Amino acid sequence: MRSPHPIPTHPHPYDVPYEEPPALPTTHRRTGRRRRRGRFFSGLPFALKTVASLLVLAAFLTLADRWAVLYAEHRAADTLKDRLRLTAAPEVEIDGFPFLPQLVGKRLDSVKVTVPDVAADRVTLAAVSATAHDIRLDGDGPTSVRGARVPRLDGDVLLSFADMNRELGASQVSFTGAGRDRVAVRGTLPVAGHDLRLRADVRVARDGERGVDTRIGGMRLDIGELATYRPGTRPSQGLHLTRASATALARETRKARAVLAVPSVVRALGVPDATVREAQRSDTALSRLTGRPEFVRQAMRLNLLDLALAHPELLDRLGLDPALLDALSRLTRPVLADRLSLGFRLPEPPSGELRLRDVRVAKDGIRVRVEGSGLAVGP
C-alpha cells in the first residue's frame, strides 16, 4: 500500500549540473595601459646594460691608458738617469690624454722632468724642473723608442738657501735673500782658533748664456769688539780698531804711550814729534793729545796688519793674537770671495741650445729661468 506522503528524494551533490559563472564585464582601457607599460619596462634593461657596458669599456681603456703612462714615465726616468749620469732617477710626468694615440703617433704634447740634487761647481742645485713641448719620438714602434727630439723647452732651476747653508756655511754661515739680486751672508768663520763674525753681501747676476755669477761685497770679519778685518788693499780695508776699541785706547795711558812710541804710527796719525815727546813725559799732555775727537778717528784708520809687521810686540798690548793676524794676512779678498761664491754654469748639451733667461733671488733661494731649443735625448 502506497504511503499518502511520499518520501522526498534528495539528489547526490555530484549530480547537480555545473553552471558557468557569469562573465565579468571587460574594461578595454585598463588592458591597453597595462600592455603599453609592459613594453616600456621590457626595453629599459637593455639600455641599462648598454650604458653599463660602455662605462666598463671606458674605464678599462682609461685604466690601460694610465698604466701605459706610468710605465712610460718609469722607463723614461731610468733612461734619463743612465744617459745624463744622474745620481737619482728624475721625476717624469707625461701630459695629455689619451696617451696611447700620442705614443702611436710618435709625438707627445708635453713632458715635465724634475731632477733633484744636481751638482753644479761648488754648489748643489736643489731642483732642476723643465717641461719639453711637442716631443718627437725616435723608434720603429711604440715599444721600441730609442730617443726623442725636443724642439722647445722651458724650466726653472733652484739653488736653495738651505743647501747653501749646509754646503758652504757648514752650519756656521747662513744665506738669506736681501732683494731681487742680493743675498746676505751672516755667521761665524773660524780663523786660527777664533770664531770671527762674518758679514758679506752677494750680488747675483747672469753670466753669459749658461752661467750665474756672484760678486762679493761688504766683506768684513769682526774680532769681537776689538777690531774689524776687511780684505783688500784700499786704505779703508785691512785690520782696523773699532770705535769702541779706539776710544778705550785713548783712555788707557799705557796702551796710548806704546802706540805713540812707534814712528810709523805717529806719522800715520799726523801728530808732530814735539807733541809726541811731550805726551810721553807728561800724563796731562798725553790726555790732551788723546782727548781730541780726531784722535779716535785717526786711530781707527790705522792698519793693524802693517803695525803688526813692523812692531809685533804691540799686538799683546792691544789684545790681539799674533797667530790670528798671521792667518788674516793670508785670508785675502779672492780667497774669502771664493769661499762664499754661489756661481755655477749649466752643462752644455750635446745638441741644441740651453740658455739662462732670468736670475732672481727669492725667499727660498736663487731661482733661474731656463730655455732650450733643438735638444735631443738618445742616440
Side-chain angles (χ1 to χ4, degrees), residues 154-294:
D154 59 75
D156 296 277
V157 175
L158 171 63
L159 175 59
S160 72
F161 290 137
D163 289 341
M164 286 188 280
N165 294 340
R166 182 180 65 254
E167 296 177 352
L168 302 181
S171 302
Q172 294 178 311
V173 178
S174 64
F175 297 81
T176 56
R180 193 185 187 280
D181 62 345
R182 295 184 183 276
V183 177
V185 183
R186 302 292 185 268
T188 59
L189 186 66
V191 179
H194 299 267
D195 289 334
L196 309 184
R197 292 197 304 269
L198 170 66
R199 296 173 58 92
D201 296 321
V202 182
R203 183 180 179 185
V204 181
R206 191 180 68 177
D207 181 16
E209 293 292 330
R210 296 194 309 275
V212 173
D213 180 42
T214 55
R215 298 180 181 179
I216 316 297
M219 289 185 294
R220 55 179 285 185
L221 291 169
D222 294 332
I223 308 173
E225 300 296 331
L226 180 60
T228 297
Y229 174 68
R230 295 180 175 88
T233 57
R234 296 177 181 178
S236 60
Q237 297 171 339
L239 183 63
H240 298 269
L241 296 174
T242 64
R243 178 172 293 276
S245 182
T247 302
L249 173 65
R251 294 173 181 173
E252 297 182 20
T253 303
R254 185 175 59 85
K255 288 185 179 181
R257 282 202 169 100
V259 170
L260 292 175
V262 180
S264 59
V265 174
V266 173
R267 288 193 297 268
L269 292 175
V271 181
D273 293 340
T275 304
V276 173
R277 288 193 295 269
E278 184 181 1
Q280 294 286 25
R281 294 191 300 267
S282 169
D283 291 343
T284 303
L286 179 62
S287 299
R288 187 167 54 249
L289 173 62
T290 58
R292 298 181 304 169
E294 58 268 24

Side-chain angles (χ1 to χ4, degrees), residues 74 103 222:
H74 180 72
L103 184 61
D222 294 332

